[in-house]
Structure formats: C-alpha cells, structure tokens
Amino acid sequence: MSAGTSLKFVVWTFIVCFLASSVSLTKARCQFKQNWQGRWFQSGIQGLILINNTHIESKGECYEEQGDKYLVYDKSEDCYRCLVLHEKHSSVLQYKETYCETKDSLAEICSRIVGDAALYSMFRKYPEVKPLDCPFKSAPFTFGYNRGTGDCSNPPSRAESCTDDSRLVLKYQACPDVPSSESNVEELICLATWKEGSTKYLIGKISQGNRRSLTSDEDQYRCFIYQKGKEDGKIVYSIAQSGDATCSGLQSPTEGSRTMKLTIVDDQHKRCRFPEWITTHHTWVSLDHHKTFKFAQKNATLKILDDETTRPIRIHQNFAQPQFAFQDLGFESEDQKQNSEMRLVCHGILQQLDNKQVQIVAHVTAGCDSGYVCMMFYKRDSNIMEIQQSNRYYENADEACATFDPSEIAYTTLVAPTLHSKKCPHLGRYSIQLNAFMEKRKRREQPGDLKLGNAEPDCISNEYEGLSVGCSGSHEMEFKSTCPSQSTNSYACHGSWEEDGLTYVITTPIVTTRRSTIHQDNTLRYCFIFQLSNQPQEDVIEGGLGKSAGPPILKMSKVGESCHRYVKPGVGGSWALNFTSNGACDQSTSDNASSILIPAIMLIVLSIAATVFLR
C-alpha cells in the first residue's frame, strides 16, 4: 500500500469514527423532560412507574428524541419501541406506543402508531402535586345521575363544597325505581384539568364513605369530561365519569360509566349580608387567640380559623338527617379530623334589635361537612362582641333556629385586634374579706412559727389582700399584696357590660419591665366577672338598739377563654376572690367605717326621741 493510499485510509477511518462518536454522543444526550421525574401510577401496572432523566421503568432507556416522539431501548428484550408522550398537566402524562422490535430509525418505528392505537394515562404520585380548585363553581348543586340503568333524579342528590375548594362532596340518593342507584357519600379531590378543542377534562380521586376497602389507586383515580351550560336560566354542569382509572372510552360529557347533571341551587344566602355593626372590624379574635374570625369584604362570608387542630370546633357536628352522617357512612377526611377552618355564609336575618343583637341563619362548611346553623351576635362594646351558635347542622335552613335556645348555648367572646383602654367599672378600694383571709392565714401558719412568736405567715404566690380600681388611673385595676416578694398585679380595662346582675370586663395585663417601662401585654386577654352586692348584718349597739349595713362585697373571678356564664364570681375561674369595699379611692378605711356607723347613731337618737314623745 502506497503512502498516499495509507494516508487516505487513515483520514477516512478518522472521519467514520468521528461521525460515529458524534451520533453516539447525540443519542447519549437523549433525555426526558426534567419535570417528569418521579413515580407515576398507571392502571393495570403493578407498582409505580419510575421516570428519571433517561429512563422509564418497564419501557426502556431514552435513545433518540424528536419533539414528543421518543425512541427507547429495552435492554431486557434487546429491542426498540416508539413512545409518543403528551404532558396534559404537571401530574398527567398520556402516551401511545409501538410494539418492541428490532432497531430502525425513529421516524420509521413511530410511523407504525395508528390513530386508533390505545391511549394510556399516567398520574403522578410522587412528588405529590397540590390539588387545584374544582371547576364546578358556586356549589351547592342538586343533581341526577345515571349508571346505565336509568336516570335517578327523584329524590335529587346534592353536591356540597368544602372549605378547601379542591374538594367537592357528592351525596347520592337512591331512587326506588332505578336498580343501580344507592345512597352514598363520595368526596372528590380535583387534581388536574386540561382542554382538547372544546372538550374539558378533569382528573380526580374519589373516596367512598361506605366502602372502606376501596382505597387503592385503581379504585380512586377517575377521569371526567365536563361541560358548563344553562337551562331555564340556571347554570348546569354535564359530567361523564370513567369506569376505571383511565380516560379510555370517554367521548363526551353525556357518555360514560356514570353521567351526572349538576344544577346550581338558587340559595337565598346570595342576597344576605352580615350587619355593618358586626363587620366594622373585618377581623375578630377570641380571648385566647386560638380562633380568628374574618369577614369577607362583601360582608356575606365569615371564615373561622382555629389553630387548636387537635380539638374539634364546638359547633362541628353531623347532619341532623342520618343518611348524610359522615361517620355513620365510614367517611372521614383530613379536614374533618382537624377542623382547622370553617366557612359561614349569611343565609337570612331573622331578627335584629337596635344594632346590638341579631339572629342569623348561616350556611356552614367545616372540612367537607356542611349544613345550616343558627347564630346570635351580641354587641357588648365598640371593640367587644359575643357569638352563640347552634350545635347541630340542619339540611333545611328553616329548621336551624326552630329549636334554638340561647340559655343552653355557650358564648364565644371576641375582641378587635387592637384594643383601647376604657374606664373600669366599680371604682374604689377593696380589701379581701376578713373572715376568708383569716382562715387562709390560720391554715398557712406553722406550729414552729407560733412557738417562736412569729405572727407573720409565709407568703403564697398569687395571693392578694387588696384591690384598687381606677385609683392610679380610671383605666386600671391593681391587685396588691403585703407580701414583700409579691409584686402588684395590674390590668388595663378595655370595655365592659352588665348582664343579670353581673359585670363582665375585658382586660389585658400591664407589664412593668426592669427599666420600669410600663406597657400592655396584648397577647393575653382576660374576662373578669364581678358581682357587687350589699352585706346585710346586725350589730348590737347600746342595749340592742340599731342596725347597720355592712360594707358592700365585690365577688370576682377571672377566666381566659371566654366570658363563661357558668362561672360563679368568687367561686370559679382561674382566679376567685371576694373583697370588701373600703369606699372611693380618696376615702380611708376609717372614713368608710364612720360613714357606715352614722346611720346607726341617727337611728338610736330617733328611737330615744320617739320614746320620750310617746311618754
């Protein structure tokens, strides 16, 4: 071989190797889209399908790509197949594929996919995608359904919204003349929507209350086609549902394994508004800050947030009608377990009194449970309001307040986020009742103290001997102790009201720092309950003549959650103290005693004068 021929051979060999390596590198860079990575469910495939940058489990390695067409190599079978992949949503992939065959070009193998080839759907499981708002707006709805054996529309079934807009509760009623109909409750979680031409698709997961065994992905994933329209001036949704965890066989919103027609309910609450004196503050909070009440700008909706998720909200109960009792059907969603959010919509105002009291029927949604409740709103002060709410949900709005008895319902005390100091009631100075205080001192005295002649008892924390109201400032209450280690405990008043002989006062603690800086601790709010009453007593004066009225008694209790009516002043609550009045702030105890004794002396003088006159 000549030198020239050898050189040509080397050059051609280099070119061929370079081109081969270039093709190899190009194919090595074949990758699936990054946002497809994760684990996916496909009906009929055992276990989940793993997708990474270059590999689809059970399909093969990405060998070559062109647009939405992918040529993949299956090592186990040593063959190639074409996948045509379409991303319908971040959580939905649909594809068609060829049989696995010997190597050929991407164009040649993919050309063998015919138009009526099977369409497969994959739904993302991990990482989980946040559900989206269901497309069926303005629930509640009534609906009829058909499972292939006839329409079931009488009695009508009902669809209710949840506090989470990605969920919808379908309450199916059984029809006596339709064999496949049954009473059942299902919760639909909306996961993905997309549109192909004029056809709208929805992927959702269904939980069925009375079939606890139906918890597999095969049972829960369903595909829907839906269409919005109008009939007789009302919004309707025609919906077709697949019979399995695929979108195969769905052609229109009127053909499917099950079809439904949802009709919006023309509820009265769309024309109802909460009174302005309630919504003056769009946000209210409970005394313990665990509950927040927020009114929407249009004053028709109230949202209640409760951060005590381990404890159910008091008013959350089952439906009054047993066929819709979620627990009886074995149905329970995460929202029901936690009850962290409730939504109330004003349905109708029944009675209102001087912009201070109103009775309202409201439609309430807690988790995926809903119904009608009766509510009472009371204006106690400009920044204080109380609410009562019935303990049951009613299917019929007319029944919500029919048996409502305010005397049997607990109050929830609410305050505005920002409170201003106001004048405290019962101004004056008070000392703890002598008899009760002496009994406490006797119980605290130790035998050793008596032997040593120590007359002073040991100090006990949170025990106070005196109370002054409005003496350092008309907006403050001060609890004082003679114990050197016990500091004065002060509270600022923010509003009060009287009810059934009791006075309720909303307060916040006044904190004094090391630098003697005084400020209010707005993170803590308390309700003080007072009862001021006279203390009748008889004193024997100068041979049995004369009677004197003892100084008034102020009974007091402190509570932290709400102004509970079952708390008896001076007995219940976190604090319970009984005080004796010493008069106004500028009066001393002796002045007060003298003023009490004067009427008795006058009575003696009048008695003597009357005796002399009669003689």
Side-chain angles (χ1 to χ4, degrees):
M1 183 181 294
S2 64
T5 304
S6 299
L7 180 61
K8 289 181 180 179
F9 177 77
V10 172
V11 171
W12 278 109
T13 302
F14 174 78
I15 292 173
V16 170
C17 291
F18 175 78
L19 292 174
S21 63
S22 297
V23 172
S24 177
L25 287 172
T26 301
K27 292 175 179 176
R29 287 196 297 268
C30 175
Q31 291 186 339
F32 299 111
K33 293 182 180 180
Q34 186 175 1
N35 61 316
W36 293 355
Q37 295 183 45
R39 294 188 178 275
W40 299 72
F41 163 77
Q42 179 180 324
S43 179
I45 302 296
Q46 188 172 4
L48 299 178
I49 299 172
L50 173 65
I51 300 179
N52 60 26
N53 283 343
T54 61
H55 178 80
I56 296 181
E57 194 173 7
S58 77
K59 301 300 180 185
E61 296 286 335
C62 185
Y63 182 79
E64 187 178 352
E65 63 175 303
Q66 183 180 349
D68 56 5
K69 298 181 178 67
Y70 294 85
L71 189 63
V72 297
Y73 172 62
D74 188 343
K75 290 182 180 179
S76 62
E77 300 292 335
D78 190 24
C79 58
Y80 295 81
R81 62 166 54 90
C82 174
L83 296 176
V84 181
L85 281 159
H86 298 283
E87 180 182 336
K88 300 299 183 180
H89 184 270
S90 59
S91 60
V92 179
L93 289 177
Q94 289 187 333
Y95 70 92
K96 293 183 178 183
E97 64 178 349
T98 62
Y99 292 108
C100 204
E101 52 190 83
T102 58
K103 185 178 180 181
D104 206 336
S105 68
L106 180 146
E108 182 62 28
I109 295 180
C110 290
S111 67
R112 298 180 185 129
I113 296 179
V114 294
D116 59 352
L119 178 67
Y120 301 98
S121 299
M122 291 192 294
F123 309 127
R124 182 190 295 276
K125 283 283 290 185
Y126 305 106
E128 292 184 86
V129 175
K130 183 180 179 181
L132 49 78
D133 291 355
C134 290
F136 316 118
K137 303 298 182 183
S138 302
F141 302 96
T142 58
F143 69 93
Y145 63 96
N146 189 325
R147 301 181 65 179
T149 57
D151 291 331
C152 177
S153 56
N154 189 20
S157 300
R158 191 173 176 90
E160 298 275 2
S161 62
C162 302
T163 49
D164 182 350
D165 290 330
S166 66
R167 299 184 177 191
L168 189 72
V169 174
L170 302 169
K171 303 171 183 177
Y172 292 91
Q173 291 279 24
C175 294
D177 55 342
V178 180
S180 62
S181 65
E182 61 177 343
S183 294
N184 187 29
V185 178
E186 293 183 352
E187 178 186 350
L188 170 65
I189 303 176
C190 299
L191 300 176
T193 58
W194 73 92
K195 186 177 179 181
E196 294 180 9
S198 60
T199 305
K200 296 179 180 179
Y201 288 86
L202 164 70
I203 299 297
K205 289 185 73 173
I206 290 178
S207 297
Q208 295 182 316
N210 59 358
R211 295 192 180 95
R212 281 193 174 273
S213 60
L214 299 185
T215 57
S216 69
D217 292 331
E218 289 280 1
D219 296 322
Q220 291 185 328
Y221 280 104
R222 289 295 181 267
C223 185
F224 302 85
I225 291 180
Y226 65 95
Q227 184 179 54
K228 182 180 179 180
K230 273 194 174 183
E231 290 184 5
D232 299 327
K234 293 184 178 181
I235 296 175
V236 297
Y237 289 93
S238 298
I239 305 171
Q241 177 182 322
S242 64
D244 54 21
T246 72
C247 291
S248 302
L250 285 181
Q251 302 295 330
S252 74
T254 57
E255 297 177 89
S257 174
R258 175 164 58 189
T259 58
M260 296 173 279
K261 180 175 285 188
L262 276 61
T263 303
I264 192 169
V265 177
D266 184 20
D267 279 337
Q268 178 184 342
H269 60 245
K270 293 180 180 178
R271 298 181 293 274
C272 178
R273 297 289 182 270
F274 288 101
E276 289 187 8
W277 60 268
I278 295 177
T279 59
T280 300
H281 301 286
H282 284 288
T283 301
W284 297 81
V285 294
S286 59
L287 297 184
D288 57 9
H289 285 265
H290 286 307
K291 294 183 178 67
T292 302
F293 293 67
K294 293 186 176 182
F295 289 92
Q297 290 184 350
K298 294 183 179 180
N299 298 341
T301 303
L302 168 62
K303 183 179 289 187
I304 303 175
L305 304 174
D306 189 347
D307 62 11
E308 291 185 302
T309 56
T310 58
R311 186 177 66 184
I313 293 177
R314 180 184 297 274
I315 69 164
H316 180 65
Q317 299 290 340
N318 290 334
F319 275 90
Q321 297 186 8
Q323 65 264 34
F324 288 145
F326 277 53
Q327 281 78 2
D328 292 345
L329 290 170
F331 182 90
E332 189 174 45
S333 69
E334 289 300 316
D335 284 335
Q336 281 182 281
K337 294 176 185 176
Q338 297 183 357
N339 288 325
S340 60
E341 180 179 326
M342 298 176 63
R343 184 172 60 211
L344 295 99
V345 180
C346 180
H347 177 78
I349 296 177
L350 299 187
Q351 51 181 285
Q352 188 165 191
L353 179 63
D354 298 333
N355 289 332
K356 291 185 177 181
Q357 179 177 319
V358 64
Q359 186 179 49
I360 291 176
V361 175
H363 184 270
V364 60
T365 303
C368 286
D369 202 356
S370 60
Y372 292 94
V373 294
C374 189
M375 303 184 72
M376 292 291 298
F377 291 81
Y378 304 90
K379 182 179 181 180
R380 302 306 190 189
D381 208 309
S382 58
N383 295 321
I384 305 170
M385 178 173 69
E386 288 195 302
I387 293 179
Q388 288 180 300
Q389 189 165 322
S390 57
N391 295 324
R392 299 183 66 184
Y393 292 177
Y394 292 88
E395 187 73 11
N396 190 340
D398 296 334
E399 298 176 358
C401 290
T403 59
F404 184 80
D405 185 356
S407 64
E408 298 180 356
I409 306 295
Y411 288 85
T412 299
T413 307
L414 305 176
V415 295
T418 302
L419 294 175
H420 303 286
S421 297
K422 294 191 175 183
K423 185 177 180 180
C424 299
H426 304 310
L427 301 180
R429 297 186 186 276
Y430 303 85
S431 59
I432 199 164
Q433 269 194 293
L434 184 61
N435 291 340
F437 182 54
M438 289 303 295
E439 288 177 4
K440 289 183 179 180
R441 293 185 65 170
K442 288 179 181 179
R443 287 197 298 268
R444 297 202 319 262
E445 285 177 349
Q446 303 295 327
D449 294 333
L450 297 176
K451 291 179 181 179
L452 295 173
N454 183 7
E456 290 298 324
D458 294 335
C459 291
I460 295 181
S461 178
N462 292 331
E463 188 168 282
Y464 299 93
E465 286 84 37
L467 167 65
S468 65
V469 182
C471 297
S472 298
S474 62
H475 300 163
E476 295 181 14
M477 297 189 300
E478 294 179 313
F479 293 86
K480 299 182 178 181
S481 173
T482 57
C483 180
S485 61
Q486 182 73 22
S487 61
T488 299
N489 204 337
S490 302
Y491 292 84
C493 298
H494 299 291
S496 62
W497 71 96
E498 293 187 1
E499 180 184 327
D500 297 331
L502 304 181
T503 303
Y504 298 87
V505 188
I506 302 302
T507 68
T508 55
I510 297 176
V511 180
T512 304
T513 63
R514 293 180 179 178
R515 297 180 180 179
S516 298
T517 303
I518 299 176
H519 68 277
Q520 297 175 17
D521 186 357
N522 289 322
T523 61
L524 299 173
R525 283 91 180 258
Y526 297 102
C527 178
F528 280 82
I529 307 174
F530 292 100
Q531 183 179 34
L532 184 64
S533 58
N534 291 324
Q535 180 182 217
Q537 64 182 35
E538 295 186 3
D539 291 336
V540 178
I541 303 176
E542 298 291 337
L545 295 175
K547 294 183 179 180
S548 67
I553 297 175
L554 184 67
K555 299 178 180 180
M556 183 222 78
S557 289
K558 184 183 82 169
V559 290
E561 303 86 18
S562 278
C563 295
H564 299 307
R565 298 320 193 261
Y566 61 79
V567 174
K568 187 176 181 180
V571 178
S574 58
W575 271 14
L577 298 171
N578 295 316
F579 294 97
T580 301
S581 173
N582 293 333
C585 292
D586 56 354
Q587 285 183 294
S588 66
T589 304
S590 59
D591 292 338
N592 186 54
S594 299
S595 64
I596 295 172
L597 190 58
I598 289 174
I601 296 173
M602 291 295 296
L603 184 60
I604 294 172
V605 173
L606 290 174
S607 298
I608 295 172
T611 303
V612 172
F613 178 77
L614 290 174
R615 288 179 179 178

